[in-house]
Every structure is written in structure tokens, then in C-alpha cells.
Amino acid sequence: MQSMNKPIVVANWKMNPQSLAEAKRLFDSVGKGLKDIKNTEVVICPPFIYLPLLNNGGRTSIKLGAQDVFWEKKGAFTGEISSKMLKDLGCQYVIIGHSERRRYFNETDEVVNKKLKTALATKLNPILCIGETQQERKKGKTKEILKRQLTNALEKISDFRLHTSDFVIAYEPIWAIGTGKACSPAEAKRAGDFIRSTVSNIYNQKFAENLSILYGGSVNSQNAKPYIFEADFQGLLIGGASLKAKEFIKIVKSVS
Ligand code: PGA
């Protein structure tokens, strides 16, 4: 079972860089370096405040994504950003349930589910992040955790007519994020295959077969390739290495 979608490479800038000037420079360098890339979907997810300033009206093929979204449509929710606001700024994607949000902002599976539904309702493509901690992995609980996260995140999702082109799942083992210890392609493949079969059970087989599943966690230009060509992932989610234009360009080229 392998989807034939073109690879998706997502840059998660997290809370970087520290100035708009740097953000613009990074965005422009990546845009220039990848201007001839046609068979890969490249998505950059900067901090919210840089979004309008990087929205160049489609002058490059790079797509914009947000790192989070709030589930309510509008109103008295101090500090939050709605899905409609993101769409208005030219966002096509949104990362939902990143482990840093779960960990530092107490995002539960229930919150993730609400955010997912909001994104789907406004046609913002969700990039749903799931993954186990080192402790859970050591106890042999990886599958159990992934299944729980998927089951809860996708609850009542059948109310939406999902298209695989609008939906992305990222397998991000927490112990591999920002640690320089990437998960081996073989171990990642086991998790990726399990995610696909679980989605098939929860939602439906056709959807699961065509779903893009990404790997994320300490990916760099040296280790990127096997996740796509050996481990059957349809793309990558890149944190640290997406902040260096040259490195990020190399990663995209290596899987294109
Ligand atoms: P990393 O982050 O590439 O720095 O490990 C990945 C992520 O958190 O999405």
C-alpha cells in the first residue's frame, strides 16, 4: 500500500527567526533555491505574525501554513487566531497537535479533534501530528499511543467528506524531535504502516491508501532520502533544518 502523491516537505519554523527581516530573507532564499521544483509540494509554516508579509500572492510555488489554529470561529478569545483569518492571509495548511503544543500548552486529543474539524470546515488542510515519547516507546506502547491519538483526533471526522489531497498526517516520534537522533527509516516505516492501517479502520480504506503520511524528527539533508524511498512516507516535516536555507533546499531536492 503506497500512495502515489507527490512528496510534501513542510518547514516548521516554530518560534523563529527573531526578526521580520530574517524571516523574509529565509523565505526568499528558499523560494529562489526551489523555483524550478515542480514535483514536490513545499509548505512553510512561519510564526503567525510573519504570514501576511510572506504572502506573495503565489509568485513562488511555496505554500504557506500556520503552526496552530483556534477552534472557535470568532469572538472573545484573547490571543487566539481563527481559521478564517489564516485563510484570508493565504494559508493553505495548518499544523495541528504538534507535540510541543500538547506538551507546553496542554493540548489534549479532544482539543486536537476540535481544531481538526475547524480546519476541515474552512478548507484549511490539516497536518495532524502524532507520536510517542521515549518512555512510551521503551515500554512497547508506540502502537497503543498512535492508535489512541488517531482515534480521538479523527472522532466524528466522517461528518466531513474528506479528500486525501486535503489531509496530511505526520508521524513525529517525540524523542526524535530536535534531538539529532532521528528514528531509523525501518522503525519509522513500522509506525507509518500502522498509522495507515489504523486510519483505514477508523475512516476508510481508499482514503487511507491515498493519504500522505510524513515523517518528522531530526531530518536533515543527509538522512532525508530513505524516509521517502525506503520507508514509504510521502513527505517530511522539518524543524531545525528548515531554518537554514541551503540545508532545507538540499532536503527538498533530495526527495524530489
Ligand atoms: P526537528 O523538528 O526537525 O527540529 O527535529 C521537527 C518538528 O518538530 O516538526
Side-chain angles (χ1 to χ4, degrees):
M1 260 203 308
Q2 195 191 349
S3 143
M4 297 305 287
N5 307 344
K6 69 176 178 182
I8 306 176
V9 182
V10 181
N12 176 9
W13 285 2
K14 307 190 181 182
M15 201 169 72
N16 301 291
Q18 297 308 301
S19 73
L20 175 59
E22 284 172 90
K24 277 186 174 157
R25 256 200 314 275
L26 179 57
F27 191 81
D28 289 345
S29 309
V30 171
K32 273 195 203 113
L34 296 176
K35 69 177 185 316
D36 298 324
I37 296 282
K38 297 223 161 50
N39 60 345
T40 302
E41 176 96 334
V42 180
V43 183
I44 292 188
C45 305
F48 287 132
I49 50 163
Y50 298 147
L51 281 167
L53 302 144
L54 301 181
N55 178 3
N56 58 17
R59 263 190 293 116
T60 66
S61 57
I62 293 175
K63 308 278 166 62
L64 283 177
Q67 297 173 15
D68 186 27
V69 64
F70 191 55
W71 65 78
E72 291 287 354
K73 285 201 181 86
K74 61 177 180 175
F77 303 101
T78 303
E80 293 300 326
I81 307 282
S82 77
S83 173
K84 207 167 172 192
M85 292 173 187
L86 294 174
K87 287 280 285 193
D88 185 54
L89 294 183
C91 268
Q92 293 183 33
Y93 290 86
V94 60
I95 297 172
I96 293 180
H98 190 279
S99 62
E100 287 151 18
R101 303 248 14 127
R102 295 182 193 249
R103 178 170 170 204
Y104 301 121
F105 305 95
N106 300 320
E107 281 197 8
T108 58
D109 286 348
E110 189 195 356
V111 164
V112 169
N113 175 253
K114 284 193 203 174
K115 291 185 170 183
L116 207 57
K117 286 181 187 155
T118 301
L120 291 169
T122 34
K123 300 203 181 310
L124 196 57
N125 302 344
I127 302 166
L128 167 66
C129 297
I130 57 174
E132 80 287 358
T133 64
Q134 181 65 284
Q135 215 187 5
E136 289 159 347
R137 174 181 178 237
K138 282 193 172 145
K139 286 187 184 155
K141 288 190 169 171
T142 299
K143 287 185 176 172
E144 186 187 315
I145 297 297
L146 294 177
K147 189 173 172 190
R148 191 207 73 209
Q149 289 175 335
L150 281 171
T151 308
N152 293 338
L154 301 180
E155 197 184 313
K156 297 231 170 79
I157 230 71
S158 50
D159 296 355
F160 298 91
R161 211 173 292 150
L162 292 188
H163 300 283
T164 37
S165 55
D166 315 331
F167 203 96
V168 179
I169 292 181
Y171 170 57
E172 294 214 303
I174 296 170
W175 50 273
I177 296 178
T179 57
K181 292 183 198 127
C183 180
S184 73
E187 183 176 344
K189 184 179 189 315
R190 285 196 292 278
D193 290 349
F194 178 76
I195 290 168
R196 202 179 294 283
S197 69
T198 306
V199 171
S200 175
N201 293 336
I202 297 173
Y203 196 65
N204 74 52
Q205 189 185 348
K206 188 159 172 267
F207 176 78
E209 276 173 6
N210 295 311
L211 180 66
S212 286
I213 304 178
L214 318 185
Y215 168 76
S218 294
V219 176
N220 58 45
S221 63
Q222 303 303 307
N223 66 12
K225 244 177 144 164
Y227 294 106
I228 308 298
F229 299 103
E230 291 166 27
D232 292 348
F233 285 94
Q234 286 70 48
L236 300 162
L237 181 45
I238 321 282
S242 73
L243 297 171
K244 295 173 232 149
K246 274 194 190 146
E247 180 69 2
F248 185 68
I249 291 164
K250 264 198 202 167
I251 294 174
V252 175
K253 288 188 172 169
S254 77
V255 302
S256 293

